[in-house]
mmCIF file with all atom_site columns, all heavy atoms in Angstrom:
data_model
loop_
_atom_site.group_PDB
_atom_site.id
_atom_site.type_symbol
_atom_site.label_atom_id
_atom_site.label_alt_id
_atom_site.label_comp_id
_atom_site.label_asym_id
_atom_site.label_entity_id
_atom_site.label_seq_id
_atom_site.pdbx_PDB_ins_code
_atom_site.Cartn_x
_atom_site.Cartn_y
_atom_site.Cartn_z
_atom_site.occupancy
_atom_site.B_iso_or_equiv
_atom_site.pdbx_formal_charge
_atom_site.auth_seq_id
_atom_site.auth_comp_id
_atom_site.auth_asym_id
_atom_site.auth_atom_id
_atom_site.pdbx_PDB_model_num
ATOM 1  N N   . HIS E 1 334 ? 42.744 92.638 -60.601 1.00 98.00 ? 355 HIS E N   1
ATOM 2  C CA  . HIS E 1 334 ? 41.394 93.272 -60.844 1.00 98.00 ? 355 HIS E CA  1
ATOM 3  C C   . HIS E 1 334 ? 40.560 92.422 -61.872 1.00 98.00 ? 355 HIS E C   1
ATOM 4  O O   . HIS E 1 334 ? 41.054 92.451 -63.027 1.00 98.00 ? 355 HIS E O   1
ATOM 5  C CB  . HIS E 1 334 ? 41.644 94.782 -61.252 1.00 98.00 ? 355 HIS E CB  1
ATOM 6  C CG  . HIS E 1 334 ? 40.224 95.531 -61.588 1.00 98.00 ? 355 HIS E CG  1
ATOM 7  N ND1 . HIS E 1 334 ? 39.257 95.608 -60.614 1.00 98.00 ? 355 HIS E ND1 1
ATOM 8  C CD2 . HIS E 1 334 ? 39.877 95.989 -62.749 1.00 98.00 ? 355 HIS E CD2 1
ATOM 9  C CE1 . HIS E 1 334 ? 38.297 96.235 -61.347 1.00 98.00 ? 355 HIS E CE1 1
ATOM 10 N NE2 . HIS E 1 334 ? 38.619 96.458 -62.490 1.00 98.00 ? 355 HIS E NE2 1
ATOM 11 N N   . ARG E 1 335 ? 39.354 92.111 -61.543 1.00 98.00 ? 356 ARG E N   1
ATOM 12 C CA  . ARG E 1 335 ? 38.602 91.310 -62.457 1.00 98.00 ? 356 ARG E CA  1
ATOM 13 C C   . ARG E 1 335 ? 37.588 92.279 -63.146 1.00 98.00 ? 356 ARG E C   1
ATOM 14 O O   . ARG E 1 335 ? 36.436 92.522 -62.667 1.00 98.00 ? 356 ARG E O   1
ATOM 15 C CB  . ARG E 1 335 ? 37.813 90.142 -61.769 1.00 98.00 ? 356 ARG E CB  1
ATOM 16 C CG  . ARG E 1 335 ? 38.864 89.136 -61.341 1.00 98.00 ? 356 ARG E CG  1
ATOM 17 C CD  . ARG E 1 335 ? 38.331 87.916 -60.622 1.00 98.00 ? 356 ARG E CD  1
ATOM 18 N NE  . ARG E 1 335 ? 39.408 87.310 -59.879 1.00 98.00 ? 356 ARG E NE  1
ATOM 19 C CZ  . ARG E 1 335 ? 40.281 86.368 -60.556 1.00 98.00 ? 356 ARG E CZ  1
ATOM 20 N NH1 . ARG E 1 335 ? 39.867 85.886 -61.688 1.00 98.00 ? 356 ARG E NH1 1
ATOM 21 N NH2 . ARG E 1 335 ? 41.157 85.792 -59.877 1.00 98.00 ? 356 ARG E NH2 1
ATOM 22 N N   . ALA E 1 336 ? 38.021 92.828 -64.320 1.00 98.00 ? 357 ALA E N   1
ATOM 23 C CA  . ALA E 1 336 ? 37.258 93.716 -65.044 1.00 98.00 ? 357 ALA E CA  1
ATOM 24 C C   . ALA E 1 336 ? 36.201 92.903 -65.829 1.00 98.00 ? 357 ALA E C   1
ATOM 25 O O   . ALA E 1 336 ? 36.440 91.741 -66.030 1.00 98.00 ? 357 ALA E O   1
ATOM 26 C CB  . ALA E 1 336 ? 38.076 94.680 -65.970 1.00 98.00 ? 357 ALA E CB  1
ATOM 27 N N   . PRO E 1 337 ? 35.201 93.455 -66.457 1.00 98.00 ? 358 PRO E N   1
ATOM 28 C CA  . PRO E 1 337 ? 34.176 92.655 -67.267 1.00 98.00 ? 358 PRO E CA  1
ATOM 29 C C   . PRO E 1 337 ? 34.867 91.927 -68.405 1.00 98.00 ? 358 PRO E C   1
ATOM 30 O O   . PRO E 1 337 ? 34.587 90.736 -68.709 1.00 98.00 ? 358 PRO E O   1
ATOM 31 C CB  . PRO E 1 337 ? 33.255 93.638 -67.865 1.00 98.00 ? 358 PRO E CB  1
ATOM 32 C CG  . PRO E 1 337 ? 33.226 94.858 -66.838 1.00 98.00 ? 358 PRO E CG  1
ATOM 33 C CD  . PRO E 1 337 ? 34.721 94.836 -66.422 1.00 98.00 ? 358 PRO E CD  1
ATOM 34 N N   . LEU E 1 338 ? 35.827 92.528 -69.108 1.00 98.00 ? 359 LEU E N   1
ATOM 35 C CA  . LEU E 1 338 ? 36.432 91.938 -70.273 1.00 98.00 ? 359 LEU E CA  1
ATOM 36 C C   . LEU E 1 338 ? 37.861 91.263 -70.140 1.00 98.00 ? 359 LEU E C   1
ATOM 37 O O   . LEU E 1 338 ? 38.356 90.500 -70.967 1.00 98.00 ? 359 LEU E O   1
ATOM 38 C CB  . LEU E 1 338 ? 36.511 92.862 -71.519 1.00 98.00 ? 359 LEU E CB  1
ATOM 39 C CG  . LEU E 1 338 ? 35.089 93.286 -71.872 1.00 98.00 ? 359 LEU E CG  1
ATOM 40 C CD1 . LEU E 1 338 ? 35.346 94.266 -73.193 1.00 98.00 ? 359 LEU E CD1 1
ATOM 41 C CD2 . LEU E 1 338 ? 34.135 92.218 -72.348 1.00 98.00 ? 359 LEU E CD2 1
ATOM 42 N N   . TYR E 1 339 ? 38.444 91.448 -68.961 1.00 99.00 ? 360 TYR E N   1
ATOM 43 C CA  . TYR E 1 339 ? 39.751 90.839 -68.802 1.00 99.00 ? 360 TYR E CA  1
ATOM 44 C C   . TYR E 1 339 ? 40.190 90.865 -67.265 1.00 99.00 ? 360 TYR E C   1
ATOM 45 O O   . TYR E 1 339 ? 39.568 91.692 -66.537 1.00 99.00 ? 360 TYR E O   1
ATOM 46 C CB  . TYR E 1 339 ? 40.841 91.523 -69.579 1.00 99.00 ? 360 TYR E CB  1
ATOM 47 C CG  . TYR E 1 339 ? 41.075 93.039 -69.331 1.00 99.00 ? 360 TYR E CG  1
ATOM 48 C CD1 . TYR E 1 339 ? 42.097 93.398 -68.409 1.00 99.00 ? 360 TYR E CD1 1
ATOM 49 C CD2 . TYR E 1 339 ? 40.334 94.040 -69.890 1.00 99.00 ? 360 TYR E CD2 1
ATOM 50 C CE1 . TYR E 1 339 ? 42.277 94.809 -68.157 1.00 99.00 ? 360 TYR E CE1 1
ATOM 51 C CE2 . TYR E 1 339 ? 40.507 95.375 -69.658 1.00 99.00 ? 360 TYR E CE2 1
ATOM 52 C CZ  . TYR E 1 339 ? 41.465 95.692 -68.711 1.00 99.00 ? 360 TYR E CZ  1
ATOM 53 O OH  . TYR E 1 339 ? 41.659 96.994 -68.485 1.00 99.00 ? 360 TYR E OH  1
ATOM 54 N N   . ILE E 1 340 ? 41.166 89.993 -66.945 1.00 99.00 ? 361 ILE E N   1
ATOM 55 C CA  . ILE E 1 340 ? 41.614 89.908 -65.528 1.00 99.00 ? 361 ILE E CA  1
ATOM 56 C C   . ILE E 1 340 ? 42.924 90.650 -65.619 1.00 99.00 ? 361 ILE E C   1
ATOM 57 O O   . ILE E 1 340 ? 43.916 90.235 -66.326 1.00 99.00 ? 361 ILE E O   1
ATOM 58 C CB  . ILE E 1 340 ? 41.702 88.444 -65.074 1.00 99.00 ? 361 ILE E CB  1
ATOM 59 C CG1 . ILE E 1 340 ? 40.359 87.784 -65.159 1.00 99.00 ? 361 ILE E CG1 1
ATOM 60 C CG2 . ILE E 1 340 ? 42.398 88.428 -63.689 1.00 99.00 ? 361 ILE E CG2 1
ATOM 61 C CD1 . ILE E 1 340 ? 40.455 86.451 -65.788 1.00 99.00 ? 361 ILE E CD1 1
ATOM 62 N N   . ASN E 1 341 ? 43.015 91.717 -64.927 1.00 98.00 ? 362 ASN E N   1
ATOM 63 C CA  . ASN E 1 341 ? 44.246 92.625 -64.895 1.00 98.00 ? 362 ASN E CA  1
ATOM 64 C C   . ASN E 1 341 ? 45.103 92.247 -63.718 1.00 98.00 ? 362 ASN E C   1
ATOM 65 O O   . ASN E 1 341 ? 44.662 92.558 -62.549 1.00 98.00 ? 362 ASN E O   1
ATOM 66 C CB  . ASN E 1 341 ? 43.902 94.041 -64.790 1.00 98.00 ? 362 ASN E CB  1
ATOM 67 C CG  . ASN E 1 341 ? 45.144 94.827 -65.161 1.00 98.00 ? 362 ASN E CG  1
ATOM 68 O OD1 . ASN E 1 341 ? 45.428 95.144 -66.145 1.00 98.00 ? 362 ASN E OD1 1
ATOM 69 N ND2 . ASN E 1 341 ? 45.817 95.170 -64.004 1.00 98.00 ? 362 ASN E ND2 1
ATOM 70 N N   . VAL E 1 342 ? 46.270 91.686 -64.011 1.00 99.00 ? 363 VAL E N   1
ATOM 71 C CA  . VAL E 1 342 ? 47.228 91.350 -62.922 1.00 99.00 ? 363 VAL E CA  1
ATOM 72 C C   . VAL E 1 342 ? 48.328 92.366 -62.898 1.00 99.00 ? 363 VAL E C   1
ATOM 73 O O   . VAL E 1 342 ? 49.071 92.361 -63.913 1.00 99.00 ? 363 VAL E O   1
ATOM 74 C CB  . VAL E 1 342 ? 47.760 89.878 -63.046 1.00 99.00 ? 363 VAL E CB  1
ATOM 75 C CG1 . VAL E 1 342 ? 48.692 89.603 -61.922 1.00 99.00 ? 363 VAL E CG1 1
ATOM 76 C CG2 . VAL E 1 342 ? 46.615 88.998 -63.147 1.00 99.00 ? 363 VAL E CG2 1
ATOM 77 N N   . THR E 1 343 ? 48.368 93.184 -61.875 1.00 98.00 ? 364 THR E N   1
ATOM 78 C CA  . THR E 1 343 ? 49.522 94.254 -61.865 1.00 98.00 ? 364 THR E CA  1
ATOM 79 C C   . THR E 1 343 ? 50.530 93.607 -61.082 1.00 98.00 ? 364 THR E C   1
ATOM 80 O O   . THR E 1 343 ? 50.364 93.140 -59.954 1.00 98.00 ? 364 THR E O   1
ATOM 81 C CB  . THR E 1 343 ? 49.037 95.596 -61.373 1.00 98.00 ? 364 THR E CB  1
ATOM 82 O OG1 . THR E 1 343 ? 47.927 96.047 -62.140 1.00 98.00 ? 364 THR E OG1 1
ATOM 83 C CG2 . THR E 1 343 ? 50.155 96.590 -61.175 1.00 98.00 ? 364 THR E CG2 1
#
Side-chain angles (χ1 to χ4, degrees):
H355 174 62
R356 293 178 194 273
L359 296 182
Y360 61 96
I361 300 137
N362 189 92
V363 180
T364 300

